[in-house]
Amino acid sequence: MSKKIIYIDMDDTLCDYASAHQLALKLYSEIQFPQSKPGFFHDLLPITGGIEAMRQLLASQHYDPFILTAPSVMNPLCYTEKRTWVETHLGMDYVHRLIISPRKDLLKGDFLIDDYNEGKRQELFTGKVLHFGTDPFQDWASVRAFLGI
């Protein structure tokens, strides 16, 4: 039996981008894109339940998980900081499973867990998109229940 390939987005799926961005807009109102400040992506807080779900996916006999995140292409620090976030919160196993691409349709797989279902060509992904943060995939508990982990 082959494992199902599953891709997991980072921003607002594994880490809380929205709250950090709102705070940065208030703190650095003079900067048009405060997410370009050094440390922004590295310092994002994990979404509740995401770290444990990622550990369960990695240990699963049914899934082959990868992180698939789109970069903030105007911020070259983003690439490095997303990588260091993964190492800090998920370890080197997931660093080897990190894919950074602005096009989510280029990869083949069974599932994509993402807070957006379009914008980075998620709508052209060949597998099933689990639209995180919406019914029926409101949170990691509901995603885990769907996946049976």
Side-chain angles (χ1 to χ4, degrees):
M1 175 167 110
S2 65
K3 292 183 175 186
K4 293 188 181 288
I5 296 173
I6 187 165
Y7 299 104
I8 303 94
D9 177 47
M10 284 183 71
D11 299 335
D12 289 327
T13 304
L14 283 178
C15 47
D16 188 359
Y17 175 92
S19 295
H21 188 255
Q22 287 294 79
L23 179 61
L25 286 171
K26 289 177 186 171
L27 293 175
Y28 308 107
S29 59
E30 73 284 0
I31 300 174
Q32 185 177 5
F33 301 107
Q35 68 271 27
S36 66
K37 290 194 66 64
F40 179 87
F41 285 95
H42 177 78
D43 295 340
L44 294 176
L45 297 175
I47 296 282
T48 301
I51 302 301
E52 180 60 27
M54 295 299 282
R55 290 185 180 126
Q56 290 174 325
L57 283 168
L58 194 59
S60 170
Q61 297 298 312
H62 304 289
Y63 299 105
D64 194 10
F66 295 87
I67 296 171
L68 174 56
T69 186
S72 176
V73 294
M74 300 306 288
N75 176 6
L77 298 174
C78 166
Y79 296 80
T80 300
E81 291 185 10
K82 285 186 176 222
R83 189 266 186 221
T84 61
W85 189 96
V86 169
E87 182 179 1
T88 299
H89 294 281
L90 295 168
M92 288 303 292
D93 286 339
Y94 270 110
V95 168
H96 292 282
R97 294 170 168 273
L98 174 62
I99 301 165
I100 301 176
S101 174
R103 297 237 346 240
K104 296 190 176 182
D105 63 317
L106 295 176
L107 293 131
K108 305 293 183 216
D110 298 289
F111 297 103
L112 169 61
I113 303 171
D114 202 317
D115 62 308
Y116 283 104
N117 60 5
E118 62 183 2
K120 302 293 181 189
R121 299 178 69 127
Q122 295 94 325
E123 68 278 10
L124 299 176
F125 179 72
T126 58
K128 179 175 178 56
V129 177
L130 308 184
H131 192 182
F132 189 80
T134 66
D135 284 329
F137 306 110
Q138 278 293 339
D139 54 22
W140 276 104
S142 57
V143 170
R144 287 174 45 217
F146 174 81
L147 296 173
I149 58 166

